[in-house]
Amino acid sequence: MLTLNYVLLFIITYLGLFAGTIISYFTKEELKPGKKYFAYARPVLFSIIFFAYLNFISLNLTISTIFSIIAGIVYYMWGIKSNNYYSDLFAYSLFGIILFETNITLIASLIFIFGLFTASIYYKQKDKLLENLSNIMKRNIVFFIVGILIALF
C-alpha cells in the first residue's frame, strides 16, 4: 500500500542524486580529488545500508555483518568491472525494495548520501548543469521505477 510516509521518503532519497549534482557544480575544484574517495565510500555505504536492512529483518548480528561485508566487496568489484552502470542498476533496484520493506528514515538518509556520492562520481565538468542533471537522473531512473512498481503491486 502506498503511504504518504513512503512516498516522501522515496522522493527525498531520489533527490540525493539531484543534490549531489548541484553540489558537484558548485565545488568543481574539490570534485576531482574527491572522486577517488567517493569510489571507496560507495561500497562502504552499500554495506551499511545492507547491514541495516538485515538487522531490520532480525537476522543474527554476526551473519548480518558477514553478509554486508561480502555484499560491499562484491559491489566494489562489480563496479570496477562494469564501469559502475550495472552495479548502480542493481544497487538502486535493491534500495527501492529495501526502502519499501523497511520504511525507515535512517535507511532513507543513507540512500540519500549514496545518491550524493553517485552524482558526484558521474558529474562531467565539461557538460552544463542541466545536462548533468538529466543524465544522472535518467541513468538512475530504475530506482524510481522499482519503487513505484513495488508500491503499486
Side-chain angles (χ1 to χ4, degrees):
M1 180 176 177
L2 196 61
T3 63
L4 182 62
N5 188 30
Y6 172 72
V7 170
L8 290 176
L9 286 176
F10 185 72
I11 290 171
I12 288 170
T13 55
Y14 193 68
L15 287 177
L17 296 166
F18 179 78
T21 306
I22 299 294
I23 291 170
S24 298
Y25 177 74
F26 288 112
T27 59
K28 292 178 184 172
E29 298 83 29
E30 291 85 11
L31 188 61
K32 193 175 236 181
K35 281 189 178 186
K36 63 181 175 181
Y37 298 112
F38 294 149
Y40 294 118
R42 285 172 14 127
V44 170
L45 202 53
F46 182 83
S47 291
I48 293 170
I49 293 168
F50 198 64
F51 178 77
Y53 173 67
L54 292 177
N55 275 339
F56 176 78
I57 61 172
S58 300
L59 204 59
N60 185 345
L61 186 63
T62 307
I63 294 172
S64 297
T65 305
I66 292 170
F67 280 163
S68 62
I69 289 172
I70 290 171
I73 291 170
V74 168
Y75 177 76
Y76 176 73
M77 297 304 285
W78 192 19
I80 290 173
K81 301 271 185 203
S82 67
N83 200 13
N84 284 332
Y85 177 70
Y86 293 111
S87 62
D88 287 340
L89 190 69
F90 170 73
Y92 273 105
S93 298
L94 185 66
F95 291 162
I97 295 167
I98 288 173
L99 187 62
F100 180 74
E101 292 236 348
T102 60
N103 212 6
I104 297 176
T105 309
L106 172 68
I107 292 177
S109 62
L110 291 172
I111 296 171
F112 179 86
I113 295 169
F114 188 88
L116 290 174
F117 293 158
T118 301
S120 298
I121 286 176
Y122 291 135
Y123 186 83
K124 295 178 182 159
Q125 291 183 349
K126 61 182 177 179
D127 292 345
K128 294 182 180 178
L129 178 62
L130 291 178
E131 290 176 33
N132 275 312
L133 276 173
S134 66
N135 289 338
I136 290 170
M137 297 300 237
K138 281 190 268 184
R139 189 174 182 140
N140 296 295
I141 195 74
V142 70
F143 174 66
F144 199 75
I145 292 170
V146 167
I148 296 297
L149 286 177
I150 289 174
L152 292 177
F153 297 110

